[in-house]
């Protein structure tokens, strides 16, 4: 069994910052890429950022220069630092991790950017 627990979401004004965290636990031997996806109301779940075990990163064009993904391999935790937030960043943010047997998802955390 795999558990992914996200935290750090909330309501923030445009231009503000938030830091999301996601801790993986359970049967996670061989964990590789970890990442964050975002699902806006009525929309699909799209990649925000992902990071490999050696720190190689990939970002959606819309967040480049504003968001930074990082991870602590010893803690099996991935972070997403979000700066200069915009209303279009609003959505449910889902953490995921890739294992040899497949991809696992967290329950999601709501981020709302509004004045």
């Amino acid at each position: 069994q795999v558990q992914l627990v996200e935290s750090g979401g909330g309501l923030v004004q445009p231009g503000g910052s938030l830091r999301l965290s996601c801790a993986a636990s359970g049967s996670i031997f061989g964990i590789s890429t970890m990442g964050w996806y975002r699902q806006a109301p009525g929309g699909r779940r799209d990649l925000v950022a992902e990071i490999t075990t050696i720190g190689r990163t990939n970002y959606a064009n819309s967040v480049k220069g504003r968001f930074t993904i990082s991870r602590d391999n010893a803690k099996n935790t991935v972070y997403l630092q979000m700066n200069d937030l915009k209303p279009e960043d609003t959505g449910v943010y889902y953490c995921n991790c890739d294992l040899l047997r497949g991809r696992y998802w967290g329950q999601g955390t709501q981020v709302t950017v509004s004045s």
Side-chain angles (χ1 to χ4, degrees):
Q1 191 174 2
V2 177
Q3 295 84 38
L4 293 167
V5 180
E6 300 119 331
S7 61
L11 173 64
V12 64
Q13 293 186 342
S17 298
L18 283 174
R19 188 186 191 222
L20 305 183
S21 299
C22 172
S25 62
S27 302
I28 56 174
F29 178 79
I31 188 170
S32 58
T33 300
M34 299 184 76
W36 292 93
Y37 279 65
R38 175 174 67 203
Q39 187 166 16
R44 63 181 187 183
R45 193 176 296 188
D46 291 324
L47 174 70
V48 175
E50 59 188 358
I51 184 169
T52 68
T53 53
I54 60 172
R56 189 166 297 171
T57 58
N58 179 40
Y59 294 93
N61 288 332
S62 62
V63 307
K64 285 181 180 177
R66 301 188 297 121
F67 291 12
T68 302
I69 191 170
S70 61
R71 67 188 286 173
D72 184 333
N73 289 331
K75 296 180 179 179
N76 292 308
T77 299
V78 63
Y79 307 95
L80 185 68
Q81 178 66 43
M82 305 185 293
N83 298 327
D84 189 24
L85 281 159
K86 305 176 186 299
E88 52 265 39
D89 294 319
T90 294
V92 179
Y93 283 69
Y94 294 92
C95 166
N96 69 21
C97 71
D98 289 340
L99 302 174
L100 294 176
R101 60 187 183 276
R103 172 167 287 185
Y104 291 80
W105 296 89
Q107 292 299 305
T109 185
Q110 177 70 44
V111 171
T112 302
V113 185
S114 175
S115 55

